[in-house]
């Protein structure tokens, strides 16, 4: 406890010097400690004046009052500095920054299209079959009645795998160029009656441009049983077009050629954009090509040990990437591979 006037003034001056470095809590404690009405140091000192000899009262009183003013303005200045510091910290926060949100995943439009197509055939009694993406040359071509010199087998079109050694003809490995080898695998694994759809990724030695991708999806279909005719093929695929696009979609079949079907056809639908009058999307023809199809070639059945005199069947193959582009009017196949959220978010969750 300071005893002399000098001690009191010195102690208060020392405390006054400390005010400038106090934090908010210390500042409030110091305020009470010095200027508190009941037990503040300065308050007590001022109260003690009345006990001093009269000649000392005036000078000591003046000294204390001056100290009180200096404390008050020091407290005030320190408070102002502290609150400005808080405000400038707040200024460092970018209030325009987007809030952190939870991202919910979505189903890719091509996956959505594949699911829908598979579901339509599922309701017609088709099961789903799958096969490997690395395939033998025999299953990808030979068993499907491709002649040994078929241009599709060319290294320019097909991605062959180097698995070492020098495999004999037909046993070379490649990335399947279509889902058709799974027709063979299915028939070899289970005798007719067979009804399957086969979704999967296929690979070709293609450029990656607006309408080609070196990896793309296909959905294959195969139905083999006694008494299956071209009427079954047409009825099934027209039903599919009406379910998938719309009940009033126009459908036509054009003769075509595939080694593994005879006869072969291509199925078109009336252009989804212009309805048939001709536009850029259908190159003026009014039609859009949707899939290839045909009656399973007897040689294909034979390579699966299925008797072509007893059984017949139809097959078809379509490209979900292409169908997705036609359905949603997507101009460039690469948009379906880029994973750009600005594009994908149009397709919902
Ligand atoms: N495999 C053919 C392709 O990749 C598509 C195809 C056409 C599959 C006709 C079939 C079919 O099953 O019957 O181009």
């Amino acid at each position: 406890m300071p005893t002399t006037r000098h001690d009191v003034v010195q102690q208060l001056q020392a405390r006054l010097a400390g005010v400038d470095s106090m934090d908010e809590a210390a500042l409030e404690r110091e305020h009470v400690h010095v200027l508190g009405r009941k037990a503040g140091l300065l308050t007590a000192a001022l109260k003690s004046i009345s006990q001093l000899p009269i000649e000392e009262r005036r000078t000591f009183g003046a000294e204390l009052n001056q100290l009180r003013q200096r404390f008050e303005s020091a407290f005030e200045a320190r408070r102002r500095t502290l609150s400005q510091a808080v405000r400038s910290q707040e200024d460092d926060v970018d209030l325009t920054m987007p809030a952190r949100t939870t991202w919910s995943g979505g189903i890719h439009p091509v996956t959505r299209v594949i699911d829908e197509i598979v579901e339509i055939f599922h309701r017609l009694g088709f099961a789903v079959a799958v096969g490997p993406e690395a395939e033998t040359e025999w299953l990808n071509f030979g068993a499907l009645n491709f002649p040994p010199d078929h241009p599709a087998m060319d290294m320019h079109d097909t991605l062959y795998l180097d698995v070492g050694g020098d495999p004999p003809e037909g046993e070379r490995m490649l990335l399947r160029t279509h889902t058709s080898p799974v027709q063979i695998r299915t028939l070899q694994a289970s005798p007719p009656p067979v009804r399957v759809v086969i979704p999967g990724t296929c690979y070709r030695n293609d450029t990656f441009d607006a309408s080609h991708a070196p990896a793309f999806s296909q959905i294959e279909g195969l139905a083999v049983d006694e008494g299956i005719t071209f009427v079954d093929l047409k009825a099934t695929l027209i039903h599919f077009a009406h379910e998938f696009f719309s009940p009033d979609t126009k459908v036509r079949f054009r003769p075509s050629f595939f080694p593994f079907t005879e006869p072969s056809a291509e199925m078109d639908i009336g252009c989804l954009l212009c309805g048939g009058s001709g536009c850029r999307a259908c190159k003026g023809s009014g039609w859009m090509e949707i899939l290839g199809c045909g009656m399973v070639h007897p040689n294909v059945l034979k390579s699966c040990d299925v008797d072509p005199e007893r059984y017949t069947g139809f097959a078809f193959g379509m490209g979900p990437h292409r169908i997705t582009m036609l359905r949603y009017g997507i101009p460039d196949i690469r948009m379906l591979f880029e994973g750009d959220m600005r594009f994908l978010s149009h397709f919902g969750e």
Side-chain angles (χ1 to χ4, degrees), residues 177-180 183 204 218 220-221 258 260-261 292-294 315-318:
T177 58
H178 51 179
T179 42
S180 305
Q183 287 192 29
R204 285 185 201 172
Q218 276 197 347
E220 189 85 12
F258 300 102
F260 37 90
T261 46
C293 57
F316 57 88
M318 58 183 119

Side-chain angles (χ1 to χ4, degrees), residues 5-61:
R5 277 173 51 194
H6 183 71
D7 284 344
V8 172
V9 169
Q10 250 195 350
Q11 202 203 13
L12 284 170
Q13 274 169 341
R15 301 196 81 101
L16 185 63
V19 169
D20 228 19
S21 56
M22 284 178 180
D23 67 14
E24 212 178 295
L27 192 65
E28 293 319 310
R29 273 199 307 273
E30 189 65 1
H31 191 275
V32 173
H33 195 66
V34 176
L35 297 179
R37 274 180 187 233
K38 280 201 181 137
L41 286 177
L42 242 172
T43 322
L46 280 163
K47 275 184 194 155
S48 69
I49 287 179
S50 56
Q51 279 138 48
L52 290 175
I54 191 103
E55 63 280 11
E56 289 182 21
R57 283 187 201 171
R58 175 162 300 171
T59 49
F60 191 41

Side-chain angles (χ1 to χ4, degrees), residues 157-299:
D157 300 322
T158 302
L159 294 159
Y160 283 87
L161 296 171
D162 184 358
V163 290
D166 190 14
E169 272 281 306
E171 280 174 42
R172 285 198 290 172
M173 296 299 290
L174 46 77
L175 291 178
R176 66 180 178 194
T177 58
H178 51 179
T179 42
S180 305
V182 191
Q183 287 192 29
I184 309 295
R185 290 179 172 273
T186 306
L187 279 176
Q188 283 178 343
S190 48
V194 154
R195 281 198 296 267
V196 287
V197 278
I198 304 151
T201 306
C202 309
Y203 304 85
R204 285 185 201 172
N205 195 6
D206 258 332
T207 50
F208 198 15
D209 60 29
S211 50
H212 297 88
F216 56 96
S217 59
Q218 276 197 347
I219 296 183
E220 189 85 12
L222 176 71
V224 179
D225 201 351
E226 289 180 43
I228 289 192
T229 70
F230 204 86
V231 173
D232 300 300
L233 176 154
K234 283 184 77 175
T236 304
L237 294 178
I238 291 170
H239 172 81
F240 157 71
H242 288 171
E243 287 282 303
F244 184 79
F245 296 105
S246 88
D248 49 14
T249 301
K250 284 192 287 177
V251 177
R252 78 173 182 186
F253 290 84
R254 274 181 296 112
S256 184
F257 174 80
F258 300 102
F260 37 90
T261 46
E262 181 58 35
S264 306
E266 248 147 303
M267 187 174 98
D268 299 339
I269 58 163
C271 178
L272 295 169
L273 282 191
C274 66
S277 55
C279 68
R280 255 177 49 189
C282 60
K283 298 193 189 83
S285 73
W287 295 96
M288 287 174 154
E289 186 188 315
I290 292 297
L291 54 81
C293 57
M295 300 304 290
V296 180
H297 196 289
N299 288 349

